Amino acid sequence: EPEVTQTPSHQVTQMGQEVILRCVPISNHLYFYWYRQILGQKVEFLVSFYNNEISEKSEIFDDQFSVERPDGSNFTLKIRSTKLEDSAMYFCASRKLSQGADTQYFGPGTRLTVL
Amino acid sequence: EDKVVQSPLSLVVHEGDTVTLNCSYEVTNFRSLLWYKQEKKAPTFLFMLTSSGIEKKSGRLSSILDKKELFSILNITATQTGDSAIYLCACISGSRLTFGEGTQLTVNP
């Protein structure tokens, strides 16, 4: 069964450094998402992406964040200058483009640790 | 602000017990409610509910939505140790999922 994949599984970085988290969505899916989960807290929406542009973003997704679909398969989340509070599990998700196909399928996540 | 509230937050049962997990919501432009199971990392999809009163069933798991009272329940019958996980409820509004805090279910042998 097709799955969303994410790399790396764990990333450790120094405060102020840039990180890029990578995702390969399910191949026939056209909507892509990033969520994060700070340890012990709820899963929170960051951004949705369709047709090569952001369709919706949360208040968390400020100028330090950006997303890109650099080729036909990858979907990336970049954090320009990481802060301690960016430490979290970051999940990528994708879904089909068809009416009623609201189910978002999640990848295994990237644990980001900012020191 | 959209809100999804789950209860209980934590539940410990013995194998064979039946459990009911609750999810209430206040979501603008509600479209659907989804249940996920989160074991180690990724939430894995269980059910999507869009219409009131229609039970969705998969093996020992079932779920139903009440759009008038704005809640959903997830039932698990004859629980097994492999059911131990965090169960997440999430509502779709626009293109985003708003998640609840989750219910941590522990099934003891």
Side-chain angles (χ1 to χ4, degrees):
Chain A
E1 189 170 324
E3 291 180 338
V4 177
T5 59
Q6 290 185 242
T7 53
S9 57
H10 192 188
Q11 172 107 36
V12 181
T13 190
Q14 296 289 326
M15 195 168 57
Q17 294 296 304
E18 174 183 287
V19 294
I20 297 176
L21 310 182
R22 290 184 166 79
C23 168
V24 179
I26 294 172
S27 63
N28 63 344
H29 287 190
L30 295 177
Y31 278 95
F32 314 118
Y33 307 84
W34 284 101
Y35 291 82
R36 78 171 186 193
Q37 187 175 30
I38 295 170
L39 191 63
Q41 296 187 23
K42 292 185 189 188
V43 177
E44 301 173 289
F45 169 79
L46 292 177
V47 66
S48 60
F49 190 86
Y50 169 69
N51 201 25
N52 277 323
E53 58 184 32
I54 290 173
S55 48
E56 189 175 352
K57 60 182 180 178
S58 73
E59 49 286 341
I60 302 167
F61 194 88
D62 61 22
D63 292 344
Q64 292 299 310
F65 291 89
S66 62
V67 288
E68 196 179 29
R69 187 150 163 85
D71 54 44
S73 58
N74 289 285
F75 178 52
T76 61
L77 174 69
K78 184 195 290 187
I79 310 175
R80 283 191 190 80
S81 178
T82 49
K83 307 186 194 70
L84 295 175
E85 54 265 35
D86 293 327
S87 294
M89 182 73 90
Y90 288 81
F91 293 110
C92 173
S94 69
R95 76 168 175 94
K96 287 181 187 178
L97 171 66
S98 53
Q99 195 167 1
D102 278 340
T103 302
Q104 295 180 24
Y105 294 91
F106 283 76
T110 293
R111 178 162 297 287
L112 176 65
T113 302
V114 182
L115 303 175
Chain B
E1 188 184 322
D2 292 345
K3 200 160 54 165
V4 177
V5 177
Q6 292 186 245
S7 64
L9 293 181
S10 177
L11 191 54
V12 181
V13 300
H14 291 290
E15 261 191 323
D17 289 351
T18 292
V19 297
T20 298
L21 310 183
N22 303 294
C23 175
S24 64
Y25 62 90
E26 293 174 29
V27 170
T28 312
N29 300 319
F30 172 88
R31 288 219 310 270
S32 304
L33 183 145
L34 285 78
W35 284 96
Y36 288 88
K37 179 181 182 182
Q38 187 176 27
E39 293 178 87
K40 293 263 167 42
K41 288 187 179 178
T44 53
F45 171 72
L46 295 174
F47 296 112
M48 185 178 80
L49 303 155
T50 306
S51 302
S52 253
I54 299 173
E55 186 183 54
K56 293 268 180 106
K57 203 166 164 60
S58 176
R60 296 176 293 103
L61 277 67
S62 63
S63 184
I64 198 159
L65 175 67
D66 185 329
K67 287 169 78 172
K68 187 178 169 193
E69 300 297 329
L70 307 182
F71 78 90
S72 173
I73 59 172
L74 174 69
N75 280 319
I76 309 174
T77 58
T79 50
Q80 301 170 357
T81 55
D83 295 327
S84 296
I86 297 173
Y87 290 84
L88 298 172
C89 171
C91 292
I92 294 183
S93 170
S95 58
R96 68 173 71 189
L97 282 172
T98 300
F99 281 86
E101 311 92 322
T103 293
Q104 170 84 61
L105 175 65
T106 303
V107 182
N108 290 324

